Amino acid sequence: MKISNAKVIVCCPGRNFVTLKIYTDQGVYGLGDATLNGREKAVVSYLEDYCIPALVGKDPRNIEDIWHYFYKGVYWKRGPVSMAAISAIDLALWDIKGKMLNTPLYNLIGGKSRDRILVYAHANGKNQEETIEQAQKEIEQGFKAVRLQSGIPGLDHTYGVPRDDKPYEPAQKGLPHEDYWDTSKYLNFVPGLFAKAREVLGADVHLLHDVHHRCTPIEAARLAKELEPFHLFWLEDPVSGELQDGLEIVRKHSTTPIAIGEVFNTVYDYTTLIARQLIDYVRMPVSHGGGITHLLKVAAMASVYHINTGFHGATDLSPVAMAAALHFNTAINNFGIQEYMPHQEIVHEVFTKNYWFKDGYLYIDDSPGIGIDIDEKKAQRYPYEMACLPVNRKLDGTMFYW
Ligand code: KDG
Ligand code: MG
């Protein structure tokens, strides 16, 4: 069996997606998600100019060897662009294997550890009241876990909160939009939000929050400590991911669980954090962290330290990545939770959907492989539109983390 060809499909049904399609000489093809929000074309070039020519002629069944060909075999390893490309190749190859064996992906990586996947919803509002009201609506829809992000008094706009009445989507057309930020306003506000949320929403619902890399270690420690009475499921990215020792300071001061890694791309981003038990959840998704092949290794290492998964699942991960994550989550023992931001309907004009939400959980069907297809004709109707994530400045103009 051989890979006969591969191509990259770029489309923008509401937002940009990059999809890799690998064809075989047996008529079976596989899909992988190669979307890197705001840097889509870099991955397209990496795939088209360097990976696809080398893929043609290889036996698609040899997933481990092909993975190492593009990782170990390449001198310039790691990094989000090359790892997004490797992830897409890996997902497409697992998709092919599942289709060839006529079985869903989860059966190839251990079978079912569970029938349903716990997910968390996003509740966001311009202020505390609106955010909590939104959370109540999510809970009424059946969600058992909700992430709260709110506008901050004194700041025009904050991460996680829509600018208008449309659903939240951080990438905006054209060059990066500039946001403004003030950590002390943020730190003064967030504990009160969660105090009120617990009072209104009760003790049972899981509450989560994303700091989005914006605190120094001691600021993050203060926040994690002040949030302790409200028993968060997790506090995400309290410090910038590159500052790993900083998490030790957060840890020393608080028992609030920590989730990190949506911007990571290999196990080497995690070895210190896992082995020193500085985190509780790994967030690196299958579409950025080397696909199924590499995430199996990360999850195995995490499991040794009783650390669970909680994969990134924002709208910039295509339905292919979401379905692949659901197979992964179905199979492994140390699954924790899955982020779930439903795509707009227009996305499913292009991508089929083999998962559905019911009463707080996502379910995936048993179609072979990953189980998602792409309608290329419809994809053509939505050509790529340049869009970028925002940049962030402090109120005095200093560049900051977004
Ligand atoms: O592309 C960036 C987004 O996916 C990211 O900002 C979303 O932080 C995020 C989250 O936790 O979903
Ligand atoms: Mg995040």
Side-chain angles (χ1 to χ4, degrees):
M1 186 176 187
K2 289 208 177 345
I3 294 173
S4 52
N5 198 3
K7 73 173 173 195
V8 182
I9 303 158
V10 184
C11 62
C12 186
R15 63 158 357 282
N16 289 315
F17 292 112
V18 178
T19 308
L20 175 69
K21 188 167 185 179
I22 298 183
Y23 299 88
T24 65
D25 60 2
Q26 313 268 311
V28 172
Y29 61 83
L31 295 182
D33 180 19
T35 310
L36 190 60
N37 205 4
R39 292 292 182 270
E40 293 85 2
K41 293 246 172 142
V43 187
V44 174
S45 161
Y46 195 83
L47 281 167
E48 285 182 346
D49 297 335
Y50 305 103
C51 301
I52 291 176
L55 268 174
V56 173
K58 288 195 167 32
D59 186 331
R61 292 171 296 191
N62 299 335
I63 300 178
E64 184 78 12
D65 184 66
I66 292 177
W67 196 93
H68 283 287
Y69 182 90
F70 288 108
Y71 183 82
K72 219 174 250 183
V74 173
Y75 189 57
W76 309 109
K77 41 185 69 62
R78 304 171 68 180
V81 174
S82 51
M83 292 309 292
I86 294 180
S87 305
I89 294 169
D90 190 75
L91 293 181
L93 296 179
W94 282 100
D95 195 24
I96 289 169
K97 195 180 282 282
K99 287 173 177 168
M100 290 299 293
L101 297 171
N102 195 26
T103 195
L105 170 57
Y106 61 73
N107 268 341
L108 302 176
I109 54 175
K112 280 191 175 185
S113 284
R114 60 193 58 75
D115 291 317
R116 54 189 190 166
I117 304 302
L118 178 68
V119 292
Y120 69 89
H122 284 204
N124 37 38
K126 291 189 181 56
N127 51 42
Q128 174 176 297
E129 215 182 8
E130 244 185 69
T131 306
I132 295 174
E133 255 172 43
Q134 181 62 35
Q136 278 173 311
K137 286 187 193 148
E138 309 284 9
I139 294 164
E140 279 160 23
Q141 279 181 40
F143 280 99
K144 316 273 182 260
V146 188
R147 185 188 96 156
L148 306 185
Q149 304 295 139
S150 170
I152 311 290
L155 289 179
D156 266 1
H157 177 255
T158 32
Y159 162 76
V161 182
R163 282 167 204 283
D164 39 36
D165 289 339
K166 294 193 192 125
Y168 180 65
E169 189 63 72
Q172 287 177 53
K173 305 250 157 74
L175 287 170
H177 181 94
E178 295 204 354
D179 274 352
Y180 284 88
W181 178 252
D182 184 289
T183 306
S184 67
K185 289 191 198 313
Y186 169 77
L187 289 177
N188 287 342
F189 174 79
V190 173
L193 168 70
F194 279 87
K196 189 70 188 171
R198 272 287 173 235
E199 193 189 310
V200 176
L201 306 174
D204 283 347
V205 63
H206 296 307
L207 296 179
L208 300 84
H209 179 65
D210 190 350
V211 185
H212 221 256
H213 324 265
R214 289 172 189 200
C215 284
T216 65
I218 202 68
E219 288 165 351
R222 167 183 154 190
L223 181 63
K225 189 171 168 180
E226 290 183 6
L227 287 173
E228 241 172 54
F230 315 119
H231 299 148
L232 266 62
F233 186 93
W234 78 36
L235 187 65
E236 180 188 338
D237 289 332
V239 297
S240 170
E242 67 227 344
L243 189 56
Q244 305 213 330
D245 286 333
L247 286 161
E248 193 137 10
I249 296 174
V250 184
R251 260 319 198 217
K252 268 189 198 141
H253 290 279
S254 161
T255 56
T256 298
I258 304 293
I260 200 158
E262 71 183 28
V263 298
F264 288 0
N265 43 69
T266 74
V267 72
Y268 300 107
D269 295 319
Y270 269 123
T271 42
T272 304
L273 298 183
I274 292 175
R276 280 166 52 195
Q277 292 185 265
L278 298 177
I279 54 170
D280 303 282
Y281 295 91
V282 293
R283 286 207 22 92
M284 185 168 80
V286 290
S287 57
H288 296 152
I292 302 296
T293 300
H294 198 56
L295 252 306
L296 282 171
K297 289 165 185 154
V298 175
M301 184 184 180
S303 78
V304 173
Y305 294 87
H306 298 200
I307 291 169
N308 293 329
T309 62
F311 292 157
H312 188 206
T315 44
D316 45 297
L317 286 84
S318 91
V320 177
M322 178 53 81
L326 293 174
H327 285 285
F328 195 95
N329 294 334
T330 298
I332 59 163
N333 174 263
N334 59 325
F335 163 71
I337 199 165
Q338 170 68 51
E339 181 178 19
Y340 178 46
M341 265 180 100
H343 291 109
Q344 299 302 299
E345 273 313 305
I346 188 175
V347 172
H348 294 293
E349 281 180 27
V350 175
F351 294 96
T352 58
K353 192 175 175 191
N354 62 341
Y355 49 86
W356 62 96
F357 175 81
K358 192 172 160 240
D359 205 20
Y361 297 87
L362 277 177
Y363 294 76
I364 186 144
D365 74 11
D366 55 4
S367 43
I370 294 174
I372 298 285
D373 211 344
I374 185 167
D375 183 329
E376 292 186 54
K377 282 216 175 88
K378 295 221 174 103
Q380 270 175 8
R381 280 192 213 155
Y382 302 108
Y384 170 78
E385 291 178 52
M386 153 86 165
C388 285
L389 291 170
V391 296
N392 216 11
R393 293 186 185 276
K394 292 187 189 175
L395 293 178
D396 68 359
T398 312
M399 259 332 282
F400 196 55
Y401 296 97
W402 178 72

